[in-house]
Amino acid sequence: MAKLYIKPSVTLGHINPEVQGHFSEHLGRCIYEGIYVGEDSKIPNTKGMRNDVVAALKEIKIPVLRWPGGCFADEYHWKDGIGPKESRKKMINTHWGGVVEDNSFGTHEFFELCEQLGCKTYINGNVGSGTVAEMSEWVEYMTFDGVSPMAELRKKNGHEKAWKIDYFGVGNENWGCGGNMRPEYYANEYRRYQTYVRNYRHDTQIFKVCGGANVDDYEWTRKVLETTFTRCPDFLHGQMDGLSLHYYVHPEGWDIKGSATQFDDKVWYKTLSKALYTNTLIKRHGAIMDEFDPDKKVGIIMDEWGTWYTCEPGTNPGFLYQQNTMRDALVAGIHLNIFNKNCDRVKMANLAQMVNVLQAVILTEGDKMILTPTYHVFNMYKDHQDNELVDSSIETKTIGLEEEYMVPNLNESVSKDKEGNLHITINNLSLEDSEFIEGVLVDVKIQSVEAEILTQKMDAYNDFEHPDVVKKQEFNDIKINGDNRIEFTIPPCSVMHIKVVTE
Ligand code: AHR
């Protein structure tokens, strides 16, 4: 038996919808085929965007989309992707798979996609191989409504009105594929480049994201902050609204990675313990940020996270195509709970990547589309978006098969929506044991409860012949006990969402 304590009157911060954000790179079949098929495709589309994929993403209330990379961003020259499609440059995508990039998906197409999705925009600029002028002109092209060469060019290319950039990343992984820079060098470049990411619109400020650390590179975080922080926290804030953090879960390490679908119980726990490590990373990078920014005005932007396995046999290794099992569902559930619980610092997070790449929520094959276990978790967590985090804790046991990779059996977060309803998301990491849970909701009167669950064996997945092996189901076995207690048994290997309506 485990007790879950919830204090709805104690709220601990706002959960930005963007912590459930996504990422789409010109990589493999993410953009081309997965999202964009062109207007002449037989696959039903609106202005080239797949109708099935857009509808599925709207269902999970996709809050924000990052584009065009990733490593691709620091090789991307935006002028290659505007104007008549037939005259756009064709080139080799040297970073990913060596295939032809015809630039048919560019700036206009990205904004069209976000408009169809109804989501915020996150553009990643090029510091590694681009100039300050190029980045500055891109921002002008996208957001300036007055008289200027770039605004004129946009109009000439068919878009009269300026668009809105919500988030702008100044480079990507500049410690690696974005130029192999040292932290002080990048930080100085960041200061310069961000100066010209101008706010042309009066109705909104662009949220500027500085390129942060890889995994546990705390030295990077400290040096970048030391170099950008010159006078006082407010000065820092004027230049930087967010600092990114990238962390991928490789069950068997970066070199071997491991199969997406064939793994044993040991690897299950190893993977989940690596997912839980995200909390440590956020706390440790956050502690360094606290020294410079005690009021937490600069957000952690975890704009790349997820599992990264050995790609599916027979596929282009540069396409990073992998299957997605219940293990990925648990990795997603754990991460989204961690983001909720750290909502005072984590302002956005973007799963890598949205379609057909790494821990995708959607896989496509020709005109077919399937929803992965990870998709269903996002669908079950969407009710947390824009809520207030509520104080909660759960009793756990330590389980696992190897000392180094022990995990708590349960993991949860709780939020309160605008109507006062509570949303509990809870994961059972155990492969064998169900757990009886008694939830104590302090000082509330429960009116009704509804719940949904995702549960299957650890390596179950959906494929094009069997698209519904893993899918969420209603869960009706929750008992209300007295005014303020709920009781239920969570099966092993499952993700659950409970909505509690209170009086
Ligand atoms: O998501 C795949 C790649 O992983 C991204 O392009 C890069 O930023 C990271 O190394």
Side-chain angles (χ1 to χ4, degrees):
M1 206 263 269
K3 279 213 162 155
L4 165 65
Y5 296 99
I6 302 174
K7 289 189 199 145
S9 59
V10 182
T11 54
L12 302 171
H14 183 72
I15 299 173
N16 243 7
E18 286 88 323
V19 299
Q20 295 184 15
H22 290 270
F23 167 36
S24 58
E25 180 166 10
H26 287 238
L27 194 177
R29 298 184 303 113
C30 182
I31 297 283
Y32 301 113
E33 282 186 50
I35 299 167
Y36 183 75
V37 287
E39 292 183 48
D40 300 334
S41 171
K42 288 201 181 84
I43 298 173
N45 69 83
T46 304
K47 298 193 179 162
M49 314 298 159
R50 290 181 73 126
N51 293 344
D52 52 355
V53 169
V54 168
L57 293 169
K58 285 175 82 164
E59 171 63 24
I60 57 172
K61 289 203 203 151
I62 173 174
V64 63
L65 184 59
R66 176 177 183 234
W67 173 82
C71 294
F72 185 81
D74 279 280
E75 291 188 6
Y76 185 60
H77 300 284
W78 66 272
K79 284 186 183 160
D80 297 341
I82 56 168
K85 296 209 175 180
E86 55 288 1
S87 46
R88 293 190 194 175
K89 275 189 198 160
K90 288 191 177 43
M91 53 188 62
I92 299 295
N93 185 336
T94 44
H95 211 96
W96 300 117
V99 288
V100 174
E101 163 65 62
D102 69 0
N103 281 300
S104 54
F105 189 97
T107 304
H108 291 246
E109 290 74 21
F110 174 69
F111 281 100
E112 170 61 33
L113 173 63
C114 291
E115 227 164 277
Q116 290 187 26
L117 293 171
C119 73
K120 290 191 176 172
T121 56
Y122 178 11
I123 297 272
N124 212 115
N126 178 349
V127 170
S129 70
T131 63
V132 176
E134 185 181 5
M135 187 182 284
S136 159
E137 284 190 336
W138 197 10
V139 174
E140 183 187 324
Y141 185 87
M142 292 185 277
T143 60
F144 191 50
D145 245 343
V147 179
S148 87
M150 292 303 113
E152 289 314 309
L153 185 58
R154 184 190 68 239
K155 290 176 192 168
K156 194 177 129 224
N157 287 332
H159 209 274
E160 188 66 27
K161 272 185 74 65
W163 294 289
K164 185 172 159 208
I165 303 174
D166 294 291
Y167 295 87
F168 193 92
V170 181
N172 168 71
E173 296 195 349
N174 300 91
W175 38 262
C177 65
N180 282 307
M181 300 174 191
R182 297 206 170 96
E184 296 89 340
Y185 181 84
Y186 167 70
N188 280 319
E189 288 294 87
Y190 175 80
R191 293 171 64 114
R192 188 160 74 106
Y193 276 70
Q194 69 79 33
T195 308
Y196 303 96
V197 177
R198 296 208 189 283
N199 278 301
Y200 290 107
R201 294 177 65 114
H202 301 297
D203 58 345
T204 171
Q205 294 266 312
I206 298 173
F207 185 109
K208 295 178 199 171
V209 181
C210 175
N214 189 31
V215 196
D216 57 354
D217 187 352
Y218 302 113
E219 187 69 1
W220 180 276
T221 299
R222 179 170 297 287
K223 292 233 162 94
V224 164
L225 288 173
E226 266 167 15
T227 313
T228 45
F229 177 87
T230 40
R231 284 179 231 153
C232 61
D234 276 346
F235 182 75
L236 173 69
H237 187 54
Q239 299 193 354
M240 185 198 298
D241 302 294
L243 182 62
S244 70
L245 171 62
H246 288 183
Y247 172 52
Y248 286 97
V249 171
H250 306 293
E252 305 288 4
W254 168 251
D255 293 343
I256 306 173
K257 297 191 176 71
S259 162
T261 51
Q262 283 162 21
F263 54 91
D264 60 17
D265 297 10
K266 274 191 186 166
V267 176
W268 164 271
Y269 288 113
K270 196 191 258 193
T271 310
L272 300 191
S273 91
K274 290 187 176 191
L276 287 157
Y277 183 55
T278 293
N279 193 51
T280 307
L281 292 172
I282 291 170
K283 296 282 187 231
R284 291 188 181 159
H285 284 288
I288 298 170
M289 291 170 79
D290 285 347
E291 292 175 32
F292 297 87
D293 171 39
D295 296 337
K296 300 190 193 321
K297 287 184 173 170
V298 178
I300 287 183
I301 305 297
M302 197 150 181
D303 54 14
E304 289 188 30
W305 69 270
T307 53
W308 188 326
Y309 308 122
T310 307
C311 62
E312 287 304 307
T315 62
N316 184 332
F319 279 15
L320 310 185
Y321 178 76
Q322 64 189 41
Q323 250 298 352
N324 196 296
T325 66
M326 263 314 286
R327 177 175 56 159
D328 296 271
L330 269 291
V331 168
I334 288 168
H335 272 87
L336 296 178
N337 278 343
I338 291 173
F339 299 148
N340 285 353
K341 291 243 175 184
N342 289 284
C343 67
D344 57 340
R345 192 52 105 171
V346 179
K347 298 300 171 196
M348 174 163 63
N350 307 72
L351 176 71
Q353 296 192 7
M354 194 163 72
V355 188
N356 290 333
V357 170
L358 300 176
Q359 196 182 341
V361 287
I362 291 173
L363 301 177
T364 68
E365 201 177 83
D367 62 353
K368 290 192 219 137
M369 174 193 86
I370 53 172
L371 308 174
T372 65
T374 301
Y375 175 93
H376 294 295
V377 173
F378 273 80
N379 208 8
M380 292 165 73
Y381 275 66
K382 67 185 176 193
D383 286 347
H384 280 307
Q385 289 187 23
D386 226 1
N387 290 359
E388 295 305 311
L389 177 72
V390 160
D391 190 16
S392 68
S393 62
I394 194 160
E395 292 171 350
T396 59
K397 295 172 200 145
T398 301
I399 57 167
L401 297 169
E402 293 173 286
E403 210 178 316
E404 215 187 322
Y405 302 112
M406 301 300 277
V407 297
N409 62 330
L410 302 167
N411 163 280
E412 53 70 46
S413 72
V414 183
S415 73
K416 182 157 62 176
D417 68 22
K418 299 210 168 42
E419 285 75 45
N421 306 313
L422 296 167
H423 296 275
I424 306 165
T425 45
I426 176 161
N427 303 302
N428 186 350
L429 283 60
S430 172
L431 279 175
E432 275 154 18
D433 298 326
S434 56
E435 191 70 39
F436 176 75
I437 296 177
E438 185 187 31
V440 183
L441 287 73
V442 180
D443 291 337
V444 294
K445 194 155 183 226
I446 300 170
Q447 200 179 77
S448 62
V449 173
E450 56 192 75
E452 48 190 355
I453 190 165
L454 191 74
T455 187
Q456 251 292 359
K457 55 189 186 55
M458 67 175 182
D459 52 358
Y461 59 88
N462 298 331
D463 63 25
F464 294 93
E465 283 70 47
H466 315 92
D468 288 327
V469 174
V470 186
K471 67 169 184 192
K472 71 181 172 96
Q473 278 157 351
E474 261 180 46
F475 183 84
N476 296 314
D477 293 331
I478 301 199
K479 207 173 118 199
I480 301 177
N481 193 354
D483 277 352
N484 69 338
R485 281 164 200 259
I486 52 173
E487 291 174 358
F488 59 98
T489 298
I490 184 167
C493 188
S494 59
V495 178
M496 202 185 240
H497 166 219
I498 304 168
K499 176 178 174 184
V500 181
V501 180
T502 58
E503 283 183 7

